[in-house]
Amino acid sequence: MIQGRMSRSGLEWFSSLPACLLLLAVVLFSTSSDIHNQMLRGGEQMWGGYYKLRMDPVKPQCEVIQDVDAAVAKEMAEAPPADDPMAALLGDFEKDPAEVRLAIERSAADCRAAHTSYAELQDKLTPGVKAYRTVELFVADLIAFGLAAQRYILVILVMLCAVTATLTRHHIAMRAMETRLDYTVSMTLQTIANAMLLGSSVIFRQSTLASSTALSSEEMLLHNFWIAGFACLTLASLYRLVRVPDDLEPGGSPSKAFMAVPLYTVMCLISGTYFALIGHSSGIGIYLGKMVELADMFLNVGLYVWVGMMLKQTKLATLVFDVFRPWRMPPEMLAVVAVLVAAIPTAYTGASGIFVIAAGAVIYSELRAAGARRHLALAATAMSGSLGVVLRPCLLVVVIAYLNREVTTDELFGWGIWVFVLTATLFGIVATTVNRQSQFNLAPGSEAFPASIRALRPLIPYVLVIVSVVLLYRFALDVKMDEFSAPRLLPVIMLSILLYEHVSRKRERVAASEGGHQGLERSVRNATNDTTAEIGALLLLLGLSVSIGGVIERSHIMEAFPQAFDSAWSAMVLMVVILVVLGMIMDAFGAVILVTATVATIAYSSGIHPVHFWMVTLVAFELGYLSPPVALNHLLTRQVVGEAEVLAAQAEEGTFYQRHERIIMPLIAMGISLVLVAFVPLLFYAV
C-alpha cells in the first residue's frame, strides 16, 4: 500500500530517468541477441561462408611443394640407416618410400587448399563485407556486454528503486503510517533491517575474500554494488526517520504501529536474527545473491511492472470496457468479465502479484467507472491475476517443469485449462449469486450488439499496432510471442501504442488542457515515476522472501514431517495446509524452488500424482496470496489503487459479508476450487 509520497520532481532525475534507461537497456540487450542471429543468417545468405569472414583470414605459413620427387628423396636421405644402433634405441625404423611419398602428397594438397581458401576469402572480403562485419561484430560485443551487465543492472535497479520506495514511503505493509508512532516504529525497524542487510553483505564479502577460492574482479564489483546499495538504503531510512512528515496524526497505538512495518523489514528481521543465532551472519547476503543467479527473471518482473504503468497512460483499457458497456451488465457480471479477460495477460507475466501491480489500478478504475461498488472492485482487482497462472505460456509453469522431471509443460498446461475453467466458473457463481446487489437486466441484443460493434472500431488501430510489432519480431527477427519473448516485446508494444496515441492526438490537434493526450514524453515519464517505487517495493520483498525460504530450508522444518504417508488423502491434507502457508509468506518463484526441494518428494512418495500435486500447488499459492493475515494480493491492490479507496470501502456499512466482501468473496471462490482440485482427482487414482 502507499504509505505516503514525496514530491516526485526531485526524484525524477535521481531515480526515474536512470530506471527508465536501465529498463530500456534490458530490452535493447535482449533484442540485440535476436538481431545478431538474423545478421548471421543474412551474412551467410549474402556471402556463403560468412562465418569465416567474421575475422581477417590468416595467410598460411606452409610452402607449397612443387617437386614431390625431390622432397621424397630429401626425406629419405635424412633418414638414419637401418643398422644405426641409435636409431633402433630411439625407435626410428627404416622409412617406406611409398609412405613418405603419400604423406608429402597429402601435405602438399592440404597446403594448396589452405592457400586457395585464403585467396578466395581475400577476394570475398570486399568493402561491403567489412562494413557489414563491423556492424555485426559490434552487435555481438553489445550482446556479450549485456549478458555480463545483467547482474549489475539488476542490483542497481533494485537498490535505486528500493531507495526511492523508502524516500516516498512506498514499501508494502499491512497498513499505512497514519500516526507519529506508526512512523517512528516503522522507520526505526526499517533502519535496523537495512543496517542488518548492509552488515550481512559486508560479512559475506569478507568471508568470500577469506576463502581459498579466488574472487574475480566481476564478483568483487558485484559485492561492492550490494554494499553500496544497502549503505544508501540505510542512509535513506535514517534520513526518513529524522525527517518526520507534518501530515501525521499525533499519538498512535503500538499494535497498529507494528502493522505499518513493511513486510520486507519483517522478513529481514526474522531471517537476519535466525542466521545470527546459528552463527551464519552472512546468510541474508548469500540468499540475496541468489537473485543475481536469476537476474533475467527478476528483470522481467521490472519490465512487466513498467508495461503495466504504461498501460495506465493509454486509453486501451477504457476502450476495451467500452465494448461491454452497451450490454448494461450488472457490476458483478462485469467484474467476472474483467477477471476472465485479465487471465491472458497474467499468463504472460507469470505471477498474479506482478499482474496486480502492473494492471490492478486500471482494472479497479474501470470497474468503478462502470458502477461497481468498492468492495466488489477491490475483490476483482486482487483476484485479477489468480486465474491465468495455469494457462500457457505462464513462466511459473515452465519453471516447475524445468525443476521437476516428473512433469512436462504440455501435461501441466493441458490440465491447467480445466483448472482455469473450474476457478472461473466458481468465481462467476460466487460473484453473481452471493450478496448480489444488482438486477440482471441486460440490454436487448438488437440494441447492445450494434453498439458493441461500433465500440470495436476505435480498437482496430491498437490491434494493428500490436499485430505489427508481433509480426515485425516474427518475420524480421524470427521471434515468436511466448513466455520467453514477452518481457521484451510488451515494452515495445506499449511504447508503440503510446506513440500512436501521441501522433493521433497531435493530428487531431487536441490540446492537453482540453483533455487531450498528454504527450509521449510525459506519458513515459509518468509511467516510469510510478514504476520505480513499485519495482523497489516488489523486488525487495521478493528478495527477502528468498531469504525466508533459506530459513525454512536450513531449519529443517520439513524433516519434522513424515517423508511419506500411507494414505494419499492424509498427505494431501498436509500438502494443502503447507502450500497455502507458503503462499502467504513467499513469492511464487521462490516458493516453487523451496517446494521442489522439500514438499514435492513427500507428495510423490505418498502416491500423489506429480501433475496433480503441481496443479494443487498453483491453486494453493493463489489462495495463500488472498488469505489473511498477509493477503499479499490485497496489499498489492491497496498499493496501486490507493489507501483512500480501501479506507472508504472499510467505512461502508452493511452486513458482515458486505463489509468484508473484498476478502471473503475471493476466499470462497479459490477455497472451493482448491478443495475440488486437491481431493476430487484422488477419487480416481488413490487407493
Side-chain angles (χ1 to χ4, degrees):
M1 71 192 185
I2 299 175
Q3 297 190 354
R5 292 180 182 269
M6 291 177 63
S7 173
R8 292 293 312 190
S9 58
L11 288 176
E12 284 184 356
W13 293 102
F14 165 75
S15 63
S16 297
L17 179 59
C20 181
L21 296 177
L22 289 172
L23 293 170
L24 287 174
V26 174
V27 176
L28 174 63
F29 290 146
S30 58
T31 305
S32 62
S33 176
D34 304 319
I35 296 174
H36 185 249
N37 291 335
Q38 292 303 101
M39 292 188 71
L40 290 176
R41 293 179 185 176
E44 192 65 29
Q45 291 174 356
M46 291 186 289
W47 304 284
Y50 170 75
Y51 69 95
K52 296 181 179 179
L53 300 174
R54 298 181 71 232
M55 299 296 175
D56 290 332
V58 179
K59 185 176 181 179
Q61 300 298 317
C62 63
E63 294 290 340
V64 179
I65 300 175
Q66 302 297 335
D67 191 343
V68 176
D69 293 332
V72 172
K74 181 180 178 182
E75 184 72 18
M76 293 301 297
E78 294 177 352
D83 56 353
D84 187 348
M86 290 300 297
L89 182 63
L90 296 174
D92 293 337
F93 300 98
E94 184 179 3
K95 295 182 177 180
D96 185 350
E99 292 180 357
V100 172
R101 174 178 290 278
L102 180 60
I104 291 176
E105 287 176 346
R106 287 177 177 175
S107 177
D110 291 342
C111 187
R112 282 193 296 269
H115 279 277
T116 301
S117 176
Y118 173 74
E120 291 176 352
L121 292 177
Q122 285 288 84
D123 293 338
K124 289 182 178 180
L125 205 58
T126 62
V129 173
K130 291 182 178 180
Y132 187 88
R133 182 182 67 178
T134 301
V135 177
E136 182 262 313
L137 291 177
F138 170 77
V139 176
D141 292 338
L142 185 65
I143 295 171
F145 174 77
L147 291 175
Q150 260 193 342
R151 301 185 300 169
Y152 307 109
I153 291 176
L154 175 64
V155 176
I156 295 173
L157 188 66
V158 170
M159 293 292 95
L160 182 69
C161 295
V163 170
T164 303
T166 300
L167 293 175
T168 57
R169 293 185 286 155
H170 206 94
H171 285 295
I172 302 169
M174 301 291 290
R175 58 183 296 274
M177 303 178 196
E178 299 175 354
T179 66
R180 288 182 173 269
L181 182 60
D182 295 345
Y183 186 87
T184 302
V185 171
S186 179
M187 296 311 303
T188 299
L189 292 180
Q190 282 187 60
T191 305
I192 295 173
N194 294 337
M196 189 177 290
L197 291 171
L198 174 60
S200 180
S201 297
V202 172
I203 295 173
F204 181 33
R205 179 181 180 274
Q206 295 304 115
S207 62
T208 306
L209 286 174
S211 65
S212 57
T213 306
L215 197 63
S216 66
S217 57
E218 291 80 7
E219 292 174 327
M220 179 60 69
L221 182 60
L222 203 59
H223 279 294
N224 294 337
F225 273 17
W226 279 116
I227 293 172
F230 286 129
C232 293
L233 188 60
T234 303
L235 291 175
S237 58
L238 186 60
Y239 168 80
R240 262 311 191 180
L241 177 61
V242 175
R243 296 291 299 270
V244 181
D246 298 328
D247 58 347
L248 297 173
E249 300 176 2
S253 169
S255 59
K256 292 184 178 180
F258 282 102
M259 293 181 65
V261 178
L263 294 182
Y264 94 88
T265 301
V266 176
M267 291 181 176
C268 179
L269 294 174
I270 293 174
S271 56
T273 302
Y274 173 80
F275 287 128
L277 290 176
I278 66 172
H280 189 56
S281 299
S282 60
I284 302 181
I286 293 174
Y287 282 98
L288 279 177
K290 291 187 176 182
M291 289 182 66
V292 176
E293 299 175 9
L294 302 172
D296 54 344
M297 185 183 75
F298 286 101
L299 287 174
N300 289 345
V301 172
L303 290 175
Y304 285 133
V305 174
W306 194 35
V307 167
M309 297 307 157
M310 285 192 283
L311 177 63
K312 285 174 56 179
Q313 303 296 320
T314 71
K315 301 188 303 177
L316 186 58
T318 301
L319 294 176
V320 171
F321 274 88
D322 285 344
V323 176
F324 300 99
R325 287 194 178 95
W327 294 92
R328 294 199 293 272
M329 293 181 181
E332 293 84 358
M333 183 178 292
L334 190 61
V336 174
V337 171
V339 172
L340 294 179
V341 171
I344 299 301
T346 300
Y348 280 95
T349 58
S352 61
I354 299 173
F355 181 80
V356 172
I357 281 283
V362 176
I363 293 176
Y364 180 81
S365 61
E366 292 300 329
L367 286 175
R368 289 289 292 153
R373 54 190 180 275
R374 284 190 175 89
H375 276 285
L376 178 62
L378 289 171
T381 302
M383 200 173 173
S384 59
S386 297
L387 304 188
V389 294
V390 294
L391 297 178
R392 190 182 298 272
C394 180
L395 183 59
L396 185 61
V397 176
V398 176
V399 172
I400 291 173
Y402 175 78
L403 296 175
N404 298 267
R405 296 183 179 180
E406 295 83 359
V407 296
T408 64
T409 53
D410 289 339
E411 290 174 330
L412 294 174
F413 285 131
W415 285 102
I417 295 176
W418 296 106
V419 173
F420 168 75
V421 172
L422 173 64
T423 53
T425 302
L426 288 173
F427 177 71
I429 294 174
V430 173
T432 55
T433 58
V434 181
N435 193 38
R436 179 162 59 97
Q437 301 180 22
S438 306
Q439 296 296 324
F440 277 56
N441 296 321
L442 296 177
S446 57
E447 172 188 337
F449 187 74
S452 292
I453 296 298
R454 288 193 297 271
L456 284 173
R457 293 176 184 172
L459 283 171
I460 295 177
Y462 291 88
V463 174
L464 293 177
V465 170
I466 296 173
V467 171
S468 298
V469 174
V470 173
L471 292 180
L472 175 64
Y473 271 78
R474 179 67 182 89
F475 293 105
L477 301 179
D478 194 24
V479 175
K480 297 179 180 179
M481 183 70 165
D482 54 25
E483 67 272 19
F484 304 105
S485 62
R488 61 182 183 271
L489 260 71
L490 290 176
V492 177
I493 289 174
M494 293 311 306
L495 288 170
S496 301
I497 289 176
L498 288 174
L499 178 61
Y500 159 73
E501 289 192 350
H502 172 69
V503 173
S504 62
R505 287 288 184 173
K506 188 175 181 180
R507 187 183 302 118
E508 296 169 4
R509 295 180 179 179
V510 179
S513 59
E514 298 172 358
H517 189 255
Q518 57 187 344
L520 177 63
E521 183 272 337
R522 182 173 295 181
S523 295
V524 175
R525 175 152 47 92
N526 290 341
T528 310
N529 286 344
D530 294 336
T531 300
T532 50
E534 302 293 355
I535 290 177
L538 185 59
L539 287 186
L540 201 57
L541 179 62
L542 297 184
L544 267 299
S545 71
V546 175
S547 182
I548 288 292
V551 172
I552 297 174
E553 182 180 6
R554 282 183 170 269
S555 62
H556 305 292
I557 294 177
M558 296 309 303
E559 295 182 2
F561 298 97
Q563 297 306 299
F565 287 80
D566 296 333
S567 168
W569 292 84
S570 58
M572 182 60 75
V573 173
L574 178 64
M575 297 297 107
V576 167
V577 174
I578 293 176
L579 294 172
V580 171
V581 172
L582 288 178
M584 291 182 182
I585 61 176
M586 293 188 67
D587 75 283
F589 295 101
V592 163
I593 296 173
L594 180 62
V595 168
T596 299
T598 55
V599 182
T601 55
I602 300 176
Y604 303 157
S605 302
S606 301
I608 298 176
H609 193 280
V611 175
H612 180 204
F613 170 75
W614 285 108
M615 287 293 103
V616 173
T617 300
L618 292 172
V619 179
F621 282 174
E622 294 307 318
L623 178 60
Y625 302 145
L626 295 166
S627 301
V630 180
L632 182 59
N633 279 10
H634 288 288
L635 295 181
L636 296 177
T637 299
R638 184 191 298 252
Q639 180 95 346
V640 295
V641 306
E643 179 72 17
E645 289 296 314
V646 178
L647 292 177
Q650 293 174 343
E652 294 178 356
E653 298 181 352
T655 65
F656 178 84
Y657 182 91
Q658 291 171 341
R659 288 183 283 110
H660 300 89
E661 181 182 16
R662 64 188 181 91
I663 300 292
I664 298 176
M665 186 173 72
L667 289 181
I668 294 176
M670 294 305 298
I672 296 175
S673 298
L674 178 58
V675 171
L676 294 178
V677 171
F679 296 104
V680 170
L682 292 179
L683 295 172
F684 298 93
Y685 72 85
V687 294

